[in-house]
Amino acid sequence: MPPATSSSPDPAGRHRAIRRRLHLTPAFHQVDMMGMVHNVQFFYWFEQGRLQIMEELMSLDAAVRLGVAMPVVENQCLYRKPVRYGDPLVLITEHRCLPAWEGRLVFSHSLVHRKLKTEMACGRTTTTLIDTAAGRLVKEWPEDLWQRYLALADGDRHGRGAASPASGRTR
């Protein structure tokens, strides 16, 4: 594992973070009989946001080849406003890079109505990284993977990788 200083805050005191945006529009099959998006759907959207970041780090095929998995160990959601069929939404997922591997990765999620500019829900997902063969926590990331992880945040810090506010598109 690289020394803790390799991912400490930058000179301006900001922590490295990876932030992605994902535009969503609830489909009819995601709505319950009361006309609102079913509560379980929010966790599916959180998963999409989390995977958007993690796929940039390591594809599923690469994870299988390395023999690692990233199970969710905690999921939280605060439902602030009802979300309905067809609502224009944007999911903002952020992950603050850890100064050293602590055995977990935490992702924060904010689901915002694009027209109303209102947060409809927010949540947090915590994952860990395990060696699938041994069924144990990965104690140290391979050096090349750790460097790619830090580079994702550096790309965001230098204006690369994140959605541009004007376009609302991710790269």
Side-chain angles (χ1 to χ4, degrees), residues 99-118:
W101 176 241
E102 296 177 2
R104 62 189 173 86
L105 297 167
V106 179
F107 300 85
S108 299
H109 311 280
S110 179
L111 187 66
V112 177
H113 193 289
R114 290 194 320 252
K115 288 184 181 173
L116 302 176
K117 308 290 187 231
T118 302

Side-chain angles (χ1 to χ4, degrees), residues 28-138:
F28 182 74
H29 72 275
Q30 297 167 322
V31 178
D32 64 21
M33 61 188 284
M34 295 175 287
M36 292 183 274
V37 170
H38 191 274
N39 61 16
V40 75
Q41 185 60 44
F42 293 79
F43 293 107
Y44 174 69
W45 289 334
F46 292 174
E47 178 182 53
Q48 286 180 293
R50 184 179 78 250
L51 290 177
Q52 185 180 22
I53 292 171
M54 295 314 299
E55 290 264 331
E56 291 180 47
L57 176 64
M58 177 175 42
S59 70
L60 182 58
D61 288 341
V64 169
R65 280 193 305 276
L66 277 174
V68 296
M70 190 169 287
V72 171
V73 295
E74 182 181 20
N75 245 342
Q76 298 175 345
C77 184
L78 176 60
Y79 306 95
R80 297 188 182 278
K81 304 267 185 193
V83 175
R84 292 177 167 55
Y85 167 76
D87 281 350
L89 305 170
V90 62
L91 175 68
I92 303 163
T93 299
E94 181 176 282
H95 168 67
R96 293 198 185 282
C97 293
L98 302 169
W101 176 241
E102 296 177 2
R104 62 189 173 86
L105 297 167
V106 179
F107 300 85
S108 299
H109 311 280
S110 179
L111 187 66
V112 177
H113 193 289
R114 290 194 320 252
K115 288 184 181 173
L116 302 176
K117 308 290 187 231
T118 302
E119 186 175 64
M120 308 303 277
C122 61
R124 191 174 95 161
T125 304
T126 304
T127 66
T128 191
L129 190 66
I130 62 167
D131 176 325
T132 54
R136 303 181 107 168
L137 178 69
V138 172

